[in-house]
Amino acid sequence: DGGITQSPKYLFRKEGQNVTLSCEQNLNHDAMYWYRQDPGQGLRLIYYSQIVNDFQKGDIAEGYSVSREKKESFPLTVTSAQKNPTAFYLCASSEGLAGSSYNEQFFGPGTRLTVL
Amino acid sequence: GENVEQHPSTLSVQEGDSAVIKCTYSDSASNYFPWYKQELGKGPQLIIDIRSNVGEKKDQRIAVTLNKTAKHFSLHITETQPEDSAVYFCAASLGNNNDMRFGAGTRLTVKP
């Protein structure tokens, strides 16, 4: 099956701990993204990566970090510096950058992070 | 920067009726406008999209219209069914084509 996977589906962490969310795709897509979703709000872009070993900050990058060592993987670390980390996190990928025509974004099932 | 407004935030219709969701955007350089459907606990899935060289696009019971002059676009669902119940998001590409901005979502409930 081709697709984009995120794990785990639910994650609980204590305040002050860093936590890493996994995102893997086997669609051979160059571009990958991380979004945060809060109730009543649209998706907000955290980081995106156009190509391996390159990534750019989105609108709300503070308190997050990413890496893109492999084309198929784009893990997101939520650090203790993120003031309000409890949210639903969505990973996505596309052949090229999402804003370009014909570059549909495919989303993973999401990870719900709860910081206690 | 780009700002995407989506209305209404919630919409309840009777099965068989039509549903319309509207979005406005601010960046006149935006040229790609997808609509996503998100079911509970899942990631959004693309249901239809439209590009700026087209005014309307239809796919079975779903249609999208775009008015570039007024900077607004709408999703129309006809003959709604209970399985259409979900949260719908509109999005607009940024003029630099690097990424998109999403609306806040509309929770559609179709009552049988």
Side-chain angles (χ1 to χ4, degrees), chain B residues 4-102:
Chain B
V4 178
E5 301 277 344
Q6 182 172 347
H7 300 280
S9 57
T10 59
L11 179 59
S12 182
V13 300
Q14 207 65 40
E15 182 177 0
D17 287 350
S18 295
V20 180
I21 302 170
K22 297 181 179 180
C23 287
T24 61
Y25 62 97
S26 58
D27 187 346
S28 57
S30 295
N31 58 15
Y32 176 57
F33 308 91
W35 285 89
Y36 290 88
K37 176 183 180 182
Q38 185 178 26
E39 295 177 344
L40 193 63
K42 296 182 180 179
Q45 283 196 306
L46 181 74
I47 54 171
I48 196 167
D49 57 16
I50 192 167
R51 292 169 180 93
S52 59
N53 57 345
V54 176
E56 183 173 0
K57 184 177 177 181
K58 191 172 181 181
D59 182 4
Q60 299 182 340
R61 296 186 296 109
I62 296 172
V64 58
T65 58
L66 171 65
N67 183 328
K68 282 220 76 180
T69 304
K71 296 200 194 73
H72 66 71
F73 55 113
S74 301
L75 177 72
H76 305 252
I77 306 174
T78 59
E79 301 170 31
T80 53
Q81 301 164 3
E83 50 266 39
D84 293 331
S85 297
V87 178
Y88 291 82
F89 291 95
C90 64
S93 63
L94 294 187
N96 62 8
N97 284 337
N98 280 342
D99 67 279
M100 294 189 292
R101 287 293 179 271
F102 287 81

Side-chain angles (χ1 to χ4, degrees), chain A residues 49-69:
Chain A
S49 168
Q50 187 178 355
I51 199 167
V52 173
N53 291 325
D54 181 67
F55 48 83
Q56 306 295 329
K57 291 182 179 180
D59 296 324
I60 55 166
E62 186 175 348
Y64 300 98
S65 66
V66 293
S67 63
R68 186 86 188 275
E69 297 175 4

Side-chain angles (χ1 to χ4, degrees), chain A residues 34-99:
Chain A
W34 274 104
Y35 292 93
R36 173 184 169 132
Q37 186 175 26
D38 294 286
Q41 296 193 40
L43 281 64
R44 291 184 291 167
L45 184 65
I46 304 173
Y47 268 97
Y48 67 98
S49 168
Q50 187 178 355
I51 199 167
V52 173
N53 291 325
D54 181 67
F55 48 83
Q56 306 295 329
K57 291 182 179 180
D59 296 324
I60 55 166
E62 186 175 348
Y64 300 98
S65 66
V66 293
S67 63
R68 186 86 188 275
E69 297 175 4
K70 298 186 294 182
K71 186 176 185 177
E72 57 270 24
S73 180
F74 190 40
L76 173 75
T77 296
V78 184
T79 74
S80 56
Q82 167 51 232
K83 291 183 173 57
N84 186 18
T86 295
F88 189 55
Y89 290 87
L90 286 161
C91 180
S93 70
S94 60
E95 285 189 17
L97 287 176

